[in-house]
Amino acid sequence: MKLSSRPPAGSVKIIGGQLYRGATATSAGALEANPGLLIKNGRIAAVGPDALAQAADETLMAENCIVSPGFLDLCCNLREPGSSQKGNMSSETRAAAHGGFTSVCAAPDTSPVNDSGAVTNLIRDIAASRALVRVLPIGAVTRGLEGELLSDMAGLQKAGCVALGNASQGLRNARVLRCCMSYAQTFGLTLMFSPENQALAADGYAHDGLVTTRLGLLGIPEVAETTAVMEMILLAQETGVRLHLSQLSCARSVDMLAEARQRGIQVTADVAMHQLAFTEDALSGFDSRFHVRPPLRSERDRQALVAGVRDGVIDAIVSQHQPHESAAKQAPLAASEPGLSSIEVVLSLGLERVAANELSLPQLLRALTAGPAAVLGQSAASNADLSAGAVADLCIFNPDQHWRPGPGTLVSAGGNGPVLERSMPGVVHYTLVAGHKAWPSLLP
Amino acid sequence: MTAIATGPHHLQLTREGQLRHFLTLDGLGRELLTDILDTADSFIEVGERTIKKVPLLRGRTVVNLFFESSTRTRSTFELAAKRLSADVLNLDISTSATSKGESLADTLYNLEAMASDMFVVRHAQSGAPHFIAESVTPKVAIINAGDGRHAHPTQAMLDMLTIRQHKKTFAGLKVAIVGDVLHSRVARSQIRALNELGVAEVRVIAPGTLLPRDVEALGCTVEYDMLRGMKDLDVVIMLRLQKERMEGALLPSEGEFYRLYGLDRAKLALAKPDCIVMHPGPINRGVEIESAVADGPQSVILNQVTNGIAIRMAVMSMAMGGQLAERQQALNDMAKQEVRL
């Protein structure tokens, strides 16, 4: 059913549990007892005793649950158009809803590449007919993602792209990067780049460290990221563009980011959840599931990235969801395709960090809600306060209940989840998009 | 019990600690390594007989799967298998199935379906034999004949056998490995074996561009200056230098490399007088080693080749033994379950 042409959702009353609200760029927000929450016409109609007093078409019981603004993912690969063997709009937005996400940014490396308004419109049309959550297209900053020629940035913006990026593909040189920034700045566009100096990364596919030395893997040195971070920050400062650094992996990058912010440069950043949960050790048995890009780095890097999220230096946690068909991973490590099918376990991996006292629950939730919304500025519907009038994009989950991710429970078309058959905390009971139940959802 | 399995490397051992694949020396203890050397010793005699055969692998099918070309390693594996009375199939995969777009896994499923008992695998990608043993054909014994930069465990073991023949014991030995350690699967396996067998010191001698990051963590010291590094050596192992390294901006020229890191008579004179000279081959005369040294009295390079056959016979027979024990165990377990039912 089309998100846009659905009949208005019936009224829903949510009783019990706790509300997570009040997060801003500088505050992690807090949990408070749910006094009762009423949804009407896709929006929050009332919070408090009045909500309880009114009648509703449906009542959702949220005991032991947290009612949070729905999660927003800044980096998600939906695999449509172009790679239906890996996933499609229905399967992957359903996976997103299962993970508590109500909005996902669609990476531009589709086929065709999202480098023109026409492709953006195509993606929006597919999303309107089959997506279960909101799909926010990211446009390609260069034509064909080839890193050479500028894409029609204004056209992409007009067609509805919320930001532009290069989908982890490199740019030809610093001059092209500078021109991209300068032109994007003209239209107030946010540029999302995954910083990597391709000459230094060369043919590498794993963190250049102890594990690569022992196993003889080809390493990507830390400087492949840090030199690119520094170059991008300096060029962002000069051009005045809003720069977003995607998927940081190094401790030193977090330091440079913090310093740039102190100097007043407009730069935000995200980190993939798997970077907070795993390290280079995950590759020690040549496990191709953990072949990801940027690579999983050292424990010291992991701790610095977690600290970055804790301190709010890193604005957002992303899934960097990359579903694959099984053949893509059935190969020796170097020949396997990078990426994890991760969006359904982002919350659970995060709650494990909370259980390990590395993050507080509000810090985790901020990085999944208000943090990424602030990165997109006006483009994202902000409902951080869960106050009357806000859009009813909500995630209702029990942080203490456990589940086992596996073939029977995961709904993504990709079988390459990072955690399989292990008990994990955090079960999403309901995901509501404009008051509609996106999870649990019937199979399309 | 011969070794304690650790981490992912239990993959190559049975529950009883017997070898069932031979993928890496990581996780294999001194006792098991010594077992391999002793078994190889017993096979050396076979090579000296008129009829050079023992029936240990009679009726078994060994497939040599070389995804990367090699003359010496493949022929010694072939000879080793034949001396064990196995049926041997040689496949040069680099020019057949994979060029038609068949995946590695599919190629192997097909070979497994032909009732193969053992795959000897050489592959350009680190970890390919692990992948095969773990995810593709776990019931076929996998012998690693060299994978990417990761490991070349039979080469390292034949080197250990050569060292033991000449030095009797590993205790107290100072061993240097010279040259392109970064790209060398041989060096990684040698460093591991030498440490496990208890030498006094492993030194790697190379310029910074040819050393992996934090190489000391493997269990070695680093020396940039070969003149200093040759001091007190009992064993010097030279590594092959590929010509591509100059193009990759890792080295300025062959000439400069030879001057600084090539083993000539003058440099060898700095080591102990009975220092032996080793090289996994094939050698580049005048690039990493002077002809007079390669052919000189301290060189044991051809002994290494001879020992290669014995080591490969040892590893193949031991892994097949473990694999068969495991199959028998599985049958017994099934029988027990049936009785219970």
Side-chain angles (χ1 to χ4, degrees), chain A residues 208 213-216 286 330-331, chain B residues 26 126-127 131 150 188 213:
Chain A
D208 192 27
T213 292
R214 189 165 64 74
L215 298 185
F286 296 101
Q330 267 290 87
Chain B
D26 280 9
S126 302
F131 164 67
H150 170 232
R188 284 179 176 79
R213 175 182 298 267

